[in-house]
């Protein structure tokens, strides 16, 4: 069975995890900062903070910005619910933006429309999603957020290894050259995995320090940053109490373990192979699906053909084929091809629908109606792509 996505774990990854398991630290040891340093080197961001998962990364960002009830944020409706949940955990109201019906990406036009529905005095941030690994028009969106005086957050949980144009050059998604924060996920089906895990990148050292506190309950252990001398220092001598720590803000236990960090760093070192493999598979899909363009078309941002895709999404007019999506998925599975749907529009989820009654986002609805995630992961071969394409032709009735 070809799954729509899966981890690619080799013996060297396993060896790295075992090495840590046999060492002195399973958590809060040296592996996490090593992973963070490697991630900074890969993305070009000055600061990287590892955490428990991509949802934790988004929540930490919202807390670092001090989002609170009464604030508003804009989020595209096509994403995993975590993109909306992260800022909403802090009480912020989510204004859902529409997306391009073909790519699922929030466009500058859609952002302008969402901004028009927002209260300008309460709008604090825009969360963009590089869906499937294709990046949004970051320069145009950054210009709009700068003009509005609001923060720009990139949800890049799908987009490790992708790039974007900036000025006359190219930036790496995650370098935060145009944004305030960027969030990543290392779930098993993502581009690299640490089992579960996440990362936040940013350029502001003060925000990096806040993020470091927020992922560890808000506890400060640096004696030079203590605020209460009676906790941190011995009365009379002024000597440092080595056990001391201060709760300086309310945080969460969002730490990444050392053995997860070791796996993540081992996986990150393979991006020079994983990235080209994913690109080659996507190129094969494009070639082999071209004769079936009347049946299925790739949901790709044609302005970003060099992207490292996390998901290979096909757009299918199920009604025109006389079959439901459920029927197509079941028949593909019988032929050994696993598929998935990414995503149900968040504004349609019962929780958010109650908060946004009557909201109509036609682009999100159209994208959702036709999207189907096809198998894509580094261990696949071109022959596997042939299998998927043949199955699609059979099931869709070519």
């Amino acid at each position: 069975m070809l799954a729509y996505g899966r981890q690619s774990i080799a013996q060297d990854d396993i060896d790295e995890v075992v090495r840590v398991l046999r060492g002195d630290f399973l958590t809060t040891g040296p592996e996490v900062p090593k992973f963070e340093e490697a991630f900074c080197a890969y993305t070009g961001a000055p600061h990287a903070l590892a955490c428990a998962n991509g949802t934790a990364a988004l929540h930490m960002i919202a807390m670092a910005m001090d989002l609170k009830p009464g604030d508003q944020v804009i989020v595209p409706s096509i994403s995993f619910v975590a993109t909306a949940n992260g800022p909403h955990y802090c009480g912020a109201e989510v204004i859902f933006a529409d997306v391009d019906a073909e790519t699922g990406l929030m466009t500058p036009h859609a952002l302008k429309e969402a901004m028009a529905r927002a209260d300008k005095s309460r709008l604090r941030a825009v969360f963009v999603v590089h869906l499937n690994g294709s990046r949004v028009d970051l320069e145009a969106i950054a210009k709009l957020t700068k003009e509005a005086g609001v923060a720009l957050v990139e949800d890049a949980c799908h987009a490790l290894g992708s790039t974007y144009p900036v000025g006359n050059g190219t930036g790496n998604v995650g370098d935060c050259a145009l944004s305030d924060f960027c969030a990543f996920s290392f779930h098993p089906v993502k581009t690299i995995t640490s089992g579960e895990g996440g990362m936040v990148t940013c350029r502001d050292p003060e925000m990096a320090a806040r993020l470091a506190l927020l992922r560890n309950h808000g506890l400060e252990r640096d004696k030079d940053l203590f605020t209460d001398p009676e906790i941190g220092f011995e009365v009379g001598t002024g000597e440092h109490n080595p056990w001391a720590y201060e709760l300086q803000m309310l945080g969460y236990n969002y730490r990444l373990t050392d053995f997860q960090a070791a796996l993540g760093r081992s996986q990150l070192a393979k991006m020079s192979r994983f990235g080209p493999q994913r690109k080659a598979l996507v190129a094969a899909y494009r070639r082999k699906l071209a004769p079936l363009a009347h049946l299925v078309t790739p949901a790709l941002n044609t302005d970003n053909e060099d992207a490292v895709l996390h998901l290979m999404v096909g757009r299918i007019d199920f009604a025109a084929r006389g079959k439901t999506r459920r029927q197509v998925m079941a028949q593909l599975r019988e032929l050994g091809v696993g598929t998935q749907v990414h995503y149900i529009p968040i504004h349609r989820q019962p929780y958010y629908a109650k908060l946004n009654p009557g909201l109509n986002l036609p682009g999100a609805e159209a994208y959702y109606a036709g999207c189907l995630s096809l198998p894509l992961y580094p261990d696949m071969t071109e022959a596997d792509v042939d299998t998927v394409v043949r199955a699609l032709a059979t099931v869709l009735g070519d």
Side-chain angles (χ1 to χ4, degrees):
M1 172 65 69
L2 291 169
Y4 83 89
R6 69 181 308 276
Q7 67 274 14
S8 296
I9 301 293
Q11 187 59 49
D12 56 346
D13 298 310
I14 296 169
D15 291 343
E16 280 298 290
V17 174
V18 171
R19 175 183 62 79
V20 175
L21 292 175
R22 288 175 172 163
D24 294 330
F25 296 93
L26 296 186
T27 191
T28 61
E31 294 300 325
V32 170
K34 288 180 181 178
F35 184 27
E36 293 170 338
E37 290 168 9
F39 207 82
C40 285
Y42 183 80
T43 61
H47 305 284
L49 290 302
C51 58
N53 48 61
T55 304
L58 291 160
H59 188 200
M60 284 166 49
I61 290 169
M63 290 189 291
M65 288 192 293
D66 196 27
L67 291 180
K68 55 188 180 299
D71 292 336
Q72 293 182 337
V73 299
I74 292 174
V75 172
S77 186
I78 294 294
S79 183
F80 185 51
V81 294
T83 312
N85 289 352
H88 193 54
Y89 288 152
C90 296
E93 177 187 347
V94 178
I95 307 296
F96 288 105
D98 206 357
V99 299
D100 179 79
E102 298 298 321
T103 66
L105 296 169
M106 184 171 72
T107 64
H109 175 76
L111 176 56
K112 288 180 182 179
E113 190 278 331
M115 283 180 163
R117 287 187 277 115
D119 182 337
K120 293 180 181 179
S121 66
R122 295 194 290 138
L123 184 61
R124 290 282 313 281
V126 172
F127 284 62
V128 298
V129 177
H130 300 300
L131 189 70
N132 306 330
S134 291
R135 50 100 185 129
V136 299
D137 186 346
L138 202 58
E139 278 194 302
I141 286 175
K143 183 175 184 293
L144 291 173
T145 57
K146 186 175 182 180
E147 290 172 352
V150 301
L152 177 57
V153 178
E154 297 175 75
D155 180 338
C157 291
H158 291 190
L160 181 63
S162 291
T163 61
Y164 67 96
V166 53
N168 295 321
T170 301
N172 297 318
V173 169
D175 64 11
C176 295
L178 297 178
S179 65
D180 296 277
F181 301 94
C182 191
F184 293 88
S185 168
F186 309 129
H187 182 275
V189 297
K190 296 303 197 299
T191 312
I192 68 169
T193 186
S194 58
E196 286 278 5
M199 191 78 75
V200 179
T201 57
C202 67
R203 289 187 169 268
D204 186 333
E206 292 185 8
M207 285 297 176
R210 284 179 62 85
L211 289 163
L213 286 178
L214 288 165
R215 72 174 170 189
N216 189 28
H217 300 283
L219 297 177
E220 180 58 74
R221 295 182 182 275
D222 186 342
K223 67 180 187 298
D224 294 330
L225 299 177
F226 284 172
T227 60
D228 185 341
E230 292 187 6
I231 290 179
F233 304 94
E234 186 177 65
V235 177
T237 67
E239 293 293 324
H240 170 234
N241 294 328
W243 67 86
Y245 54 86
E246 287 188 350
L247 182 66
Q248 295 189 345
M249 64 178 66
L250 186 63
Y252 290 77
N253 182 356
Y254 279 166
R255 298 188 301 262
L256 189 72
T257 66
D258 268 43
F259 53 89
Q260 287 176 300
L263 176 57
R265 186 158 64 101
S266 178
Q267 289 265 295
L268 183 64
K270 298 179 180 183
M271 279 300 295
S272 60
R273 176 165 60 85
F274 285 174
Q277 285 173 316
R278 285 180 175 271
K279 290 180 182 180
L281 289 167
V282 171
Y285 265 118
R286 294 180 64 134
R287 292 194 308 272
K288 297 172 189 296
L289 284 175
L292 303 181
H294 59 296
L295 301 175
V296 55
T297 56
L300 296 174
N301 177 1
T302 55
D303 293 332
N304 190 209
E305 295 184 1
D306 197 43
V308 176
L309 293 191
H310 154 52
L311 295 172
M312 179 65 207
V313 176
R315 298 269 295 123
I316 300 168
D317 186 342
F318 296 100
R321 307 318 304 167
K323 296 181 179 182
T324 67
R325 178 160 45 195
R326 182 196 60 77
Q327 290 172 327
V328 169
M329 293 177 73
Q331 290 171 9
L332 287 171
R333 186 171 184 82
E334 289 176 0
L335 295 174
V337 175
T339 56
Q340 188 52 276
V341 178
H342 299 90
Y343 294 97
I344 300 170
I346 308 174
H347 78 278
R348 283 185 52 184
Q349 293 291 350
Y351 177 84
Y352 286 109
K354 291 177 183 177
L355 300 176
N356 299 271
L359 180 60
N360 180 33
L361 299 176
E365 297 286 359
Y367 181 82
Y368 169 60
C371 67
L372 188 66
S373 296
L374 307 173
L376 180 66
Y377 48 91
D379 291 342
M380 283 178 59
T381 65
E382 189 166 328
D384 292 327
V385 176
D386 287 329
T387 297
V388 176
V389 174
R390 283 196 302 267
L392 285 167
T394 299
V395 171
L396 296 177
D398 182 39

